[in-house]
Amino acid sequence: MADIGPTDLCLEPSAGIGGLADYLPFGRTVCVEVSPLHCKVLIAKGHQVFEADFLAWRGGLYDRIVMNPPFSDGRWQAHLAHAATLLAPGGRLVAVLPASANGKDVLPGRSLTWSRTYSNEFAGTSVSVVLLVAQ
């Protein structure tokens, strides 16, 4: 869905331990993570990492952003909006979002494509999600 080209610079905000970053191109992917322990795991895996609060981080522009933001208390909205400010012209953002976001104009002025709803896809959680592609 991210349609990553051979020269695209990629970003995974709030990267955790790299569940998404592990599938993005090494050497062209930046991870941002607030947890020092998670940063150590990412570094051990070979990722380029910035230890920072993503919402306060200003790290340039990226061709592709792939993200699974925190959902609690609606925090995904602020993370998604901030990520969009880091998207290069002509770039693409792919986000795992709560199903309740489906069909909403969450990034005004951007072309949005929504996936079907996925339920019970993650072990230990009952959260239903959708995938958003924004351009």
Side-chain angles (χ1 to χ4, degrees), residues 26-103:
F26 280 97
R28 294 187 286 124
T29 299
V30 168
C31 297
V32 179
E33 175 54 43
V34 70
S35 164
L37 179 59
H38 288 170
C39 287
K40 287 178 184 176
V41 171
L42 291 164
I43 290 166
K45 288 180 166 185
H47 293 293
Q48 180 182 349
V49 180
F50 288 91
E51 184 179 328
D53 174 353
F54 175 65
L55 295 178
W57 187 74
R58 306 285 184 260
L61 298 179
Y62 295 85
D63 303 301
R64 300 293 185 264
I65 300 174
V66 180
M67 63 189 299
N68 182 7
F71 290 5
S72 63
D73 300 320
R75 293 186 302 156
W76 64 268
Q77 296 173 40
H79 283 250
L80 182 66
H82 182 58
T85 70
L86 302 172
L87 195 60
R92 180 180 288 212
L93 183 153
V94 178
V96 179
L97 298 177
S100 61
N102 195 1

Side-chain angles (χ1 to χ4, degrees), residues 106-131:
V106 294
L107 293 173
R110 303 237 182 219
S111 170
L112 307 179
T113 304
W114 297 92
S115 74
R116 68 174 179 84
T117 298
Y118 295 88
S119 298
N120 302 313
E121 297 289 327
F122 301 101
T125 180
S126 61
V127 174
S128 294
V129 299
V130 291
L131 301 174

